[in-house]
Amino acid sequence: KHNRKPFVGGNLKMNGSRAMLKEIIDRLNPLKFDDYVEVAIAPPSIFLDLAHRSVRKGVNVAAQNAFNCTKGAYTGEVSPEQLKDLGIDWVILGHSERREIFKESDELVASKVGHALKSNMKVIACIGEKLEERESEKTEEVVIRQLQAIAVKVDDWKNVVIAYEPVWAIGTGKVATPQQAQDVHLIIRDWLAKNISEKIAQDTRIIYGGSVKGTNSQELAKQLDVDGFLVGGASLTEDFIKIIECFI
Ligand code: G3P
């Protein structure tokens, strides 16, 4: 369908323990996916070091957040430079839970993306509309507004994966239909083609997140512009392996 390497991320959110993380990593390490799909797991920050030391080469570890400054008086925050010091190369930014619960604005998310990229991190940048926005036909407007804010801060798109996560599909069991996902992914890719470049549009991976399970991942993965997944709940279980295996 194209030559973008699929990407599957497991966002553990604020779940798990050291023992549970070990189980997740023990399931991932033996799997031979490297030629077909890039995989990252994102544990809570206190487990990042343990995760990094436990994964085999080829399994990436991602942080779930990072601040937009290098160091200083920012109690409770972690900087991209500190993550790099730990050996962590990936970070999820702009997740809807950060935007909603922790009131992160488009501007803050964009600033974090810019800072993380400058610190040589790779970014999974999340965008997506809420239910009422979809119902009032504002999906495109919202998604593009969020994307545009981020795009301003990106020089090198090869270090960016865009995650389209409709908020109404997150943790609800209400997955977007393959067509709904494809439609928005295409809107995002078209925007990149028109506003950044055709090549970047073709090369940038756009992944889907929101109630992805082993039972629905295959159909979603068939869509032309769906280049992988950001998985929440199912990344805690054996289902995560099934989702990765869609691309093998
Ligand atoms: O970042 C992944 C996510 O928000 C989706 O969560 O539990 O619906 O797969 P979930």
Side-chain angles (χ1 to χ4, degrees):
K1 73 185 191 181
H2 47 63
N3 55 12
R4 296 180 289 273
K5 189 174 194 180
F7 185 100
V8 175
N11 177 7
L12 308 195
K13 309 194 178 184
M14 199 177 73
N15 292 299
S17 55
R18 288 179 297 169
M20 189 166 171
L21 184 63
K22 185 176 182 311
E23 280 172 31
I24 293 169
I25 291 173
D26 283 349
R27 282 194 291 264
L28 272 178
N29 278 343
L31 210 63
K32 292 195 171 58
F33 50 73
D34 307 41
D35 289 344
Y36 311 100
V37 50
E38 198 167 357
V39 172
I41 50 159
S45 62
I46 42 162
F47 300 138
L48 281 168
D49 188 46
L50 176 62
H52 176 65
R53 287 186 281 110
S54 309
V55 290
R56 69 161 169 84
K57 193 170 172 290
V59 178
N60 297 287
V61 177
Q64 296 175 14
N65 186 25
F67 201 48
N68 62 345
C69 297
T70 306
K71 65 183 174 90
Y74 304 104
T75 303
E77 294 295 325
V78 169
S79 74
E81 288 78 2
Q82 291 170 324
L83 293 169
K84 286 294 283 192
D85 185 44
L86 222 55
I88 308 296
D89 292 326
W90 283 91
V91 60
I92 299 171
L93 292 170
H95 192 281
S96 66
E97 286 146 21
R98 301 292 324 168
R99 292 176 187 267
E100 285 303 300
I101 305 167
F102 302 100
K103 307 284 174 253
E104 293 194 8
S105 63
D106 287 349
E107 290 65 36
L108 179 60
V109 171
S111 162
K112 287 180 166 197
V113 170
H115 187 81
L117 290 172
K118 281 208 175 64
S119 314
N120 279 321
M121 292 201 80
K122 301 178 201 183
V123 171
I124 302 162
C126 305
I127 57 180
E129 83 288 0
K130 296 184 228 175
L131 183 60
E132 60 270 28
E133 292 164 338
R134 173 161 285 261
E135 284 174 344
S136 53
E137 285 167 23
K138 293 216 171 81
T139 298
E140 175 163 356
E141 181 187 321
V142 170
V143 164
I144 296 303
R145 188 198 75 220
Q146 295 171 337
L147 176 60
Q148 178 142 37
I150 290 165
V152 171
K153 305 288 185 179
V154 179
D155 294 324
D156 195 351
W157 284 88
K158 79 172 188 312
N159 291 330
V160 178
V161 168
I162 297 170
Y164 168 59
E165 300 207 314
V167 180
W168 48 271
I170 296 177
T172 57
K174 206 176 156 212
V175 65
T177 65
Q179 192 60 51
Q180 282 174 323
Q182 167 60 25
D183 288 349
V184 180
H185 284 227
L186 184 58
I187 288 171
I188 294 168
R189 203 175 304 287
D190 281 347
W191 187 91
L192 290 173
K194 288 198 192 81
N195 295 277
I196 311 294
S197 79
E198 184 59 45
K199 168 140 178 54
I200 282 163
Q202 284 314 314
D203 291 350
T204 301
R205 288 166 298 178
I206 306 171
I207 64 176
Y208 168 81
S211 297
V212 176
K213 305 271 177 289
T215 47
N216 57 33
S217 52
Q218 200 86 46
E219 282 306 305
L220 286 158
K222 281 187 195 151
Q223 301 303 307
L224 206 57
D225 292 288
V226 174
D227 303 318
F229 302 115
L230 189 55
V231 183
S235 69
L236 301 166
T237 73
E238 286 165 37
D239 223 19
F240 192 49
I241 303 299
K242 273 206 204 120
I243 296 168
I244 294 168
E245 282 174 340
C246 279
F247 298 100
I248 299 182

